[in-house]
Amino acid sequence: MLVQRTPSGRPAFPLTHKERNVARPPRGKRTTLSDGTRAVASKNPNGSGSVYFEPATNNADGTTTPGRWRATWVDQNGKIRRVAAPTRQEAEERRDAKAAAVGKRVRPASRFDAESTVNDLLDWWLTSIAKHRVKTSTYDSYARFASYLADGIGAQPIIDVGTEMLTQWQADLLEQYAPYTVLNCRKVCRQAFREAVKLELIATNPFDLVDAPRARAASSARALPIDDAKALIVAAGDFRLGAAVTLLFCQGWRVSEVLGLAWEDLDLDAGTAQIRRGSAYTPSLGTVLGTTKTSGAEGIHYLAPTSIDRLRQWRKQQEIERDAAEEPWPAHAYEGEIIHPVFTKPDGGLANRQSVVKAIRRAAKKSGIDPKGVASHTGRRTVITALYANGGVDLADIARHVGHSDSTTTAGYVRSLGHRPSDTARRAAELLDPGL
């Protein structure tokens, strides 16, 4: 190959590695470019680790540590691990061998082995972990979602479940259910496989490499105008559970928190209530007392005057029903303590959500409001929207009032901005428009 040279015999331009017939040195993970900026070697897909060359280093004792290739991978505890080798191929092989070894290794005295199926994992996860972490009603929904995975790939060994298999299962599920349902199912089942990683049954969670479906929760998203809400509250006073309806539309609480109230939680003279628990229906046990949906709901809440009056009236009505009951009034306990629920059936059993929804819709009809889409959560949206759009209250204060742990969740309940946009625009003009 002819090379252009200077009069002194040196090459006019630096020879390339190809012209010198030598191999190009490996590129490190970070490289300094000619303009002084630094570039990072291309990143592999999430979960597959990265491979890069670590250049030779000069040690303080005068020796030199030769350059070597490194490959990374994520272990069952989520920590990044590294292996090193003289060549890229050897580093990748060592990395793959380390990751594969996790899938073959089983802890001593484990109930699982290489033949354990997805059904085995789901059964163990539901009874040993999920059951003790969530409310009974939530556990029932977890069991239902887990059954969808069991029906699809339950007989498959855990170690054989890969990206392709889960992608096909998810696609088949989308043919039967709404995307939001599939998304929730995926979230639940992913938790079970996360435990399989912790148990070192598999190296990584296969759900991490399967794209989630795009989905949004279906909701009527209705909030009543202030005048309609007041009319509904007035009309609810004629119905048996009118006090519960009043708390929903005056306080903005969840229906489970309203139905979980006990008389011991109320101080009507001080006008306060303390939310400590919730009441919800579960397919396995019926209506039961349990924890609140979030810790933000717990604590002292201040009652509106109408809420106090309705509760006083209802307490008298409940005493009449108790005296008239043919069977002994049932005792209710929560966390080892006897309590006296505020809202009960005529026989003393726990009132359910459906009864409250019926009262809401009857009150809506009586006040001339279209009952379509009006339910227990309508009160929560109504209170939040009224406080933000018409009351000018900060979202953080509204979140504390209705019992949200995060004001971002509260923002999602706002159904109208009222005069806030025009007020903001007018204020911006007053401050910045030179023509004013």
Side-chain angles (χ1 to χ4, degrees):
M1 176 182 296
L2 296 177
V3 179
Q4 185 178 355
R5 298 179 179 276
T6 63
S8 63
R10 294 182 178 180
F13 305 99
L15 297 179
T16 64
H17 294 91
K18 184 176 181 180
E19 291 169 340
R20 289 183 297 180
N21 197 28
V22 296
R24 181 185 296 274
R27 182 182 179 187
K29 189 172 184 180
R30 294 175 178 82
T31 306
T32 302
L33 303 180
S34 58
D35 61 358
T37 60
R38 296 176 69 85
V40 181
S42 58
K43 188 179 183 300
N44 291 338
N46 286 336
S48 60
S50 61
V51 183
Y52 59 94
F53 183 75
E54 189 176 78
T57 56
N58 296 320
N59 302 320
D61 58 2
T63 60
T64 300
T65 301
R68 53 187 173 179
W69 286 90
R70 285 191 179 275
T72 67
W73 59 291
V74 181
D75 68 8
Q76 66 275 15
N77 298 316
K79 294 184 178 180
I80 297 177
R81 302 295 185 183
R82 295 177 177 82
V83 293
T87 67
R88 181 188 183 106
Q89 182 177 349
E90 288 182 82
E92 290 177 338
E93 290 175 352
R94 289 184 184 180
R95 185 268 314 275
D96 294 342
K98 287 280 188 181
V102 173
K104 297 178 180 178
R105 187 169 69 252
V106 179
R107 291 183 176 182
S110 172
R111 63 183 296 166
F112 297 104
D113 55 32
E115 304 299 323
S116 296
T117 65
V118 173
N119 281 335
D120 297 330
L121 174 65
L122 293 174
D123 290 342
W124 172 81
W125 175 73
L126 284 170
T127 57
S128 301
I129 297 179
K131 187 175 183 179
H132 306 289
R133 286 184 178 175
V134 296
K135 300 186 299 181
T136 305
S137 56
T138 305
Y139 173 80
D140 285 346
S141 67
Y142 276 22
R144 175 167 55 88
F145 288 137
S147 71
Y148 297 164
L149 185 64
D151 292 342
I153 61 172
Q156 297 292 332
I158 302 168
I159 60 175
D160 289 345
V161 178
T163 305
E164 182 180 356
M165 185 183 296
L166 282 182
T167 301
Q168 186 59 54
W169 165 78
Q170 183 172 280
D172 293 341
L173 210 61
L174 286 167
E175 296 293 331
Q176 307 174 56
Y177 301 99
Y180 190 71
T181 301
V182 177
L183 182 63
N184 284 333
C185 179
R186 167 198 167 89
K187 289 178 180 178
V188 170
C189 297
R190 184 179 182 180
Q191 295 181 48
F193 271 80
R194 188 165 61 220
E195 296 302 321
V197 175
K198 293 180 182 179
L199 294 174
E200 300 183 357
L201 299 173
I202 50 179
T204 57
N205 192 333
F207 276 94
D208 293 346
L209 297 178
V210 179
D211 292 334
R214 292 185 178 182
R216 298 178 66 180
S219 173
S220 59
R222 186 173 178 185
L224 298 182
I226 290 178
D227 290 341
D228 285 354
K230 289 181 178 180
L232 187 145
I233 293 170
V234 171
D238 296 333
F239 301 110
R240 182 176 177 276
L241 292 177
V245 176
T246 302
L247 291 175
L248 292 175
F249 283 83
C250 271
Q251 308 298 142
W253 297 341
R254 301 177 182 91
V255 67
S256 60
E257 297 157 2
V258 171
L259 296 180
L261 282 175
W263 290 113
E264 292 84 354
D265 303 327
L266 301 177
D267 185 341
L268 298 183
D269 292 332
T272 61
Q274 187 166 5
I275 293 179
R276 294 189 174 100
R277 70 196 73 78
S279 175
Y281 173 80
T282 66
S284 57
L285 300 175
T287 303
V288 294
L289 296 171
T291 58
T292 56
K293 185 175 182 180
T294 65
S295 59
E298 299 175 4
I300 299 295
H301 295 260
Y302 295 89
L303 299 170
T306 299
S307 297
I308 297 172
D309 292 340
R310 292 277 171 86
L311 286 168
R312 292 186 190 278
Q313 296 169 17
W314 167 243
R315 182 161 56 186
K316 296 176 181 178
Q317 176 63 28
Q318 189 184 61
E319 290 173 355
I320 294 173
E321 291 181 354
R322 182 168 186 162
D323 293 339
E326 297 180 358
E327 299 293 332
W329 200 260
H332 299 278
Y334 179 70
E335 294 186 343
E337 178 185 355
I338 298 296
I339 63 170
H340 301 86
V342 173
F343 297 105
T344 52
K345 297 178 180 179
D347 62 1
L350 294 173
N352 57 44
R353 180 192 190 108
Q354 289 78 7
S355 299
V356 178
V357 172
K358 287 180 181 178
I360 293 172
R361 289 177 177 165
R362 290 175 66 189
K365 288 181 180 179
K366 183 176 180 180
S367 54
I369 300 169
D370 181 5
K372 184 178 180 180
V374 178
S376 58
H377 233 52
T378 306
R380 195 167 178 80
R381 285 191 293 268
T382 297
V383 171
I384 291 173
T385 301
L387 288 173
Y388 186 73
N390 304 96
V393 182
D394 180 79
L395 281 174
D397 291 329
I398 299 174
R400 284 188 288 270
H401 178 71
V402 300
H404 274 151
S405 298
D406 188 350
S407 58
T408 355
T409 305
T410 312
Y413 280 71
V414 176
R415 293 297 172 261
S416 169
L417 298 179
H419 297 293
R420 293 180 76 99
S422 59
D423 290 346
T424 303
R426 183 172 58 254
R427 184 57 178 156
E430 290 173 354
L431 293 172
L432 303 169
D433 190 338
L436 293 180

